[in-house]
Amino acid sequence: MHSSIAVLAAALALSACASDGAGPPASASALTPPPARKVEPSVDTMKRLVKLLSSDAFEGRAPGTVGEEKTLALLSGEFAQLGLKPGNNGSWFQDVPLVEITTKNVSPLTFSGGKAKVQAAYGPEMVAATYRTTQPHVAVKDSPVVFVGYGINAPEKGWNDYAGLDVKGKTVIILVNDPDYEAAGLGGPFNGRAMTYYGRWTYKFEEAARQGAEAAIIVHDTVPAAYGWNVVQSSWTGAQQVADNANGNADQSAAIGWIQKDKAAALMASAGLNLDTLMAQAKKPGFKAVPLKGVKASLSFDNDLRKHMSKNVVALLPGTARPDEYVLYSAHWDHLGRCQAAPDGDDICNGAVDNATGTAALVALAEANVKAGPTERSQVFLAVTAEESGLLGSAYYGDHPVFPLGRMVGGVNMDALSMAGPAKNVVVIGKGKSDLDAYLNRALAAQGRTATVEPTPEKGFYYRSDHFSFAKHGVPMLYFEGGEDLVKGGTPAGMAAAEDYTEHRYHGPKDEYDPNWDWTGLEADVQLYFDVGRALASTADWPNWVAGDEFRAIRDKSRAGQ
């Protein structure tokens, strides 16, 4: 998860189709009025479920553990008690094949052949893992090292950090984020401050594998990564989940990982280079990768491999007039399980905010919609697995949809809802990308609040939660965070709360239920999700991505049945 407390920009041009694929534009004034509000999502339901889901009894809700079993039983039981229907052909669950990989016996990452040997210790100085699901032992030995800048190959932007380079059998050192992340505005080849998918660490490893690299190591830098080393260490140690497939991910690099920036600087110095100079060069068009002459990398580790079947939870509230048209509500139920222990010995990453809040809101929204009565369209409540491992559960659903994606009207995604108190605004991740903004704006107007753009677009939140898995398949998805302009204390207080969460609790053992939380802000935000979803489920409009958006053509094809 990204944290909600912790993109591509496009201009807003509202357009939508009627239920047969054609119709008038959808503007804020043209939208079908929502039904009169009958109920509000229950804050008592959310409190009860957040407290339970984030208790030590659920062991951090890691996929493939007792914590998953308890979570699945709880969610399916809640949906059944509400009278919803099992959404997957009579089952509450969709199987998601995963492989759990637990890395052990990790050697130091050693760079030899330079002016001095450089070693990075596993945990405090580097982390390592593999995507390969049939390889119990990984050994990278004397692999030539190449600095490849930001590791981007983007032909449409005329940018290729691998141009003229053969990295087969080599170790590549990569910078996180985009080359222009420090820009003041949103201009530039990679949208300036607004991170593109090329800036995400997932892309870096994907491209390194496509180029044939034996190992791929990202240099951690807190500002462009958007989190400290503590987050990397807690997220990358312990059992990791990887999607299972027929080839065992044999086409992926043997080893992937991160290294602390000071160790990367020492590595470059051993090769007679300067990291700061290289970073500056990598930001400029035409950058050429720099081999570290004579430097070789070595790393080895063992893997305990366990195939298992994790599960998405799928619940359905059938529509009355057009039951074959669907509105989606999504949230991920998983967290990290047992992780890097806090100084007091606590090693359970309870994931209270991330994402017991979103999961509890999912149930509360189902409950509120049942009380309000069925809508014309069907409503799907989807709790997905393995978000923390790279959006694996939602990605699997996108590739194997239970309901046709061309009949999915749109949806909302909830991830790590804000506990900072009531805010005057919400922060929309990807504001201006789709017609769903109009639905949100109307719901906000009823609360006297506003929508604002991301204050930190360089953090790439658009690519860090499950809405992205559906957007890639053309489904318009709304994803927003609780605003930072708090009623009490304004933006300074909101920013301080965000920084405090990121530094002290995000992806760590102290993301725990707090009986002193102020729920009024979360309550207002969940009401927005209810109002937007309810309006979508009660209209004949078909929202779309704005003209020119990266997902528009995919949506048009799926709506046309292609």
Side-chain angles (χ1 to χ4, degrees):
M1 133 113 193
H2 94 268
S3 160
S4 74
I5 308 183
V7 275
L8 299 171
L12 179 59
L14 297 173
S15 61
C17 308
S19 60
D20 61 355
S27 65
S29 60
L31 298 175
T32 305
R37 184 179 300 164
K38 298 178 181 178
V39 296
E40 297 178 353
S42 168
V43 70
D44 289 336
T45 293
M46 290 186 280
K47 287 181 179 180
R48 173 176 61 85
L49 291 175
V50 171
K51 184 176 182 179
L52 184 56
L53 285 164
S54 62
S55 66
D56 283 356
F58 280 65
E59 300 181 6
R61 305 188 306 282
T65 67
V66 171
E68 170 169 7
E69 295 174 7
K70 292 183 176 181
T71 302
L72 298 178
L74 175 65
L75 293 179
S76 59
E78 292 285 333
F79 288 136
Q81 188 172 0
L82 290 173
L84 273 66
K85 295 186 178 300
N88 187 15
N89 300 308
S91 173
W92 292 110
F93 308 117
Q94 179 189 39
D95 287 343
V96 180
L98 299 177
V99 179
E100 179 185 275
I101 304 179
T102 303
T103 298
K104 61 183 182 180
N105 303 326
V106 185
S107 73
L109 174 57
T110 301
F111 299 97
S112 58
K115 295 179 180 179
K117 180 183 289 188
V118 176
Q119 286 192 324
Y122 178 66
E125 297 173 331
M126 71 88 179
V127 292
T130 187
Y131 287 142
R132 296 184 181 181
T133 59
T134 59
Q135 196 160 336
H137 180 72
V138 170
V140 175
K141 185 173 177 59
D142 294 333
S143 169
V145 181
V146 185
F147 174 73
V148 295
Y150 287 88
I152 294 172
N153 179 17
E156 77 282 4
K157 297 179 181 294
W159 194 289
N160 186 1
D161 289 326
Y162 291 95
L165 188 65
D166 181 4
V167 297
K168 290 182 176 61
K170 298 178 181 178
T171 294
V172 294
I173 307 296
I174 314 169
L175 302 176
V176 71
N177 214 312
D178 294 316
D180 52 3
Y181 78 90
E182 293 178 303
L186 300 179
F190 293 91
N191 294 346
R193 285 185 63 218
M195 183 191 284
T196 69
Y197 188 61
Y198 293 116
R200 285 288 288 147
W201 60 265
T202 48
Y203 167 80
K204 311 291 186 181
F205 294 138
E206 290 165 4
E207 187 59 42
R210 283 190 287 267
Q211 298 290 334
E214 183 178 16
I217 307 295
I218 294 175
V219 178
H220 176 264
D221 194 354
T222 297
V223 172
Y227 35 73
W229 183 257
N230 62 308
V231 174
V232 176
Q233 187 172 353
S234 64
S235 301
W236 280 71
T237 51
Q240 305 290 306
Q241 304 296 327
V242 178
D244 195 10
N245 60 33
N247 73 350
N249 294 323
D251 55 346
Q252 297 299 305
S253 300
I256 56 174
W258 295 68
I259 189 171
Q260 286 265 38
K261 185 179 178 181
D262 60 349
K263 281 294 176 179
L267 165 63
M268 299 307 164
S270 76
L273 302 168
N274 180 277
L275 179 61
D276 290 338
T277 300
L278 291 172
M279 291 172 67
Q281 293 172 352
K283 290 176 168 59
K284 299 176 182 178
F287 166 78
K288 300 295 183 184
V290 180
L292 276 59
K293 294 181 180 178
V295 176
K296 305 289 181 67
S298 296
L299 172 69
S300 66
F301 51 87
D302 297 321
N303 299 306
D304 288 336
L305 307 168
R306 180 176 70 90
K307 289 192 175 188
H308 67 103
M309 201 66 74
S310 190
K311 298 181 188 300
N312 294 329
V313 184
V314 190
L316 176 69
L317 184 57
T320 56
R322 295 184 301 282
D324 63 340
E325 299 174 6
Y326 306 93
V327 173
L328 177 66
Y329 303 80
S330 65
H332 73 91
W333 61 255
D334 68 296
H335 199 56
L336 302 177
R338 294 189 178 273
C339 56
Q340 185 74 26
D344 63 3
D346 181 5
D347 69 344
I348 296 178
C349 277
N350 302 84
V353 168
D354 179 15
N355 184 33
T357 56
T359 306
L362 188 73
V363 176
L365 287 166
E367 179 184 41
N369 274 289
V370 168
K371 290 181 179 179
T375 48
E376 296 178 8
R377 286 167 160 160
S378 295
Q379 298 181 78
V380 178
F381 300 88
L382 179 66
V384 295
T385 183
E387 187 270 357
E388 301 290 10
S389 302
L391 316 183
L392 300 183
S394 58
Y396 188 86
Y397 185 98
D399 292 337
H400 306 86
V402 174
F403 306 103
L405 295 177
R407 305 302 294 171
M408 193 67 70
V409 177
V412 298
N413 179 57
M414 296 164 289
D415 193 351
L417 305 184
S418 173
M419 300 304 305
K424 303 171 188 176
N425 68 320
V426 297
V427 175
V428 182
I429 310 303
K431 187 176 187 293
K433 289 180 68 64
S434 84
D435 297 340
L436 295 184
D437 282 15
Y439 289 81
L440 176 61
N441 289 339
R442 187 174 59 187
L444 284 165
Q447 294 187 358
R449 303 170 70 191
T450 58
T452 56
V453 297
E454 300 167 74
T456 55
E458 68 276 12
K459 294 184 179 181
F461 287 157
Y462 194 83
Y463 306 97
R464 292 168 61 176
S465 192
D466 293 301
H467 63 283
F468 181 52
S469 294
F470 304 109
K472 286 194 300 185
H473 289 275
V475 178
M477 293 292 293
L478 179 66
Y479 178 45
F480 64 84
E481 302 174 345
E484 291 188 334
D485 186 5
L486 300 183
V487 172
K488 296 180 181 180
T491 301
M495 293 180 66
E499 292 170 2
D500 179 70
Y501 175 79
T502 301
E503 183 176 351
H504 297 115
R505 288 178 292 284
Y506 174 52
H507 277 207
K510 298 310 174 185
D511 185 2
E512 298 178 307
Y513 180 84
D514 185 346
N516 298 315
W517 274 338
D518 179 353
W519 287 78
T520 53
L522 181 146
E523 191 175 5
D525 291 345
V526 176
Q527 185 67 57
L528 295 173
Y529 285 117
F530 177 81
D531 291 346
V532 169
R534 191 86 184 163
L536 277 173
S538 304
T539 181
D541 294 323
W542 279 86
N544 205 338
W545 304 93
V546 299
D549 188 83
E550 69 209 281
F551 305 123
R552 176 64 181 252
I554 303 170
R555 173 67 162 182
D556 291 343
K557 276 188 176 182
S558 69
R559 287 289 297 123
Q562 300 178 11

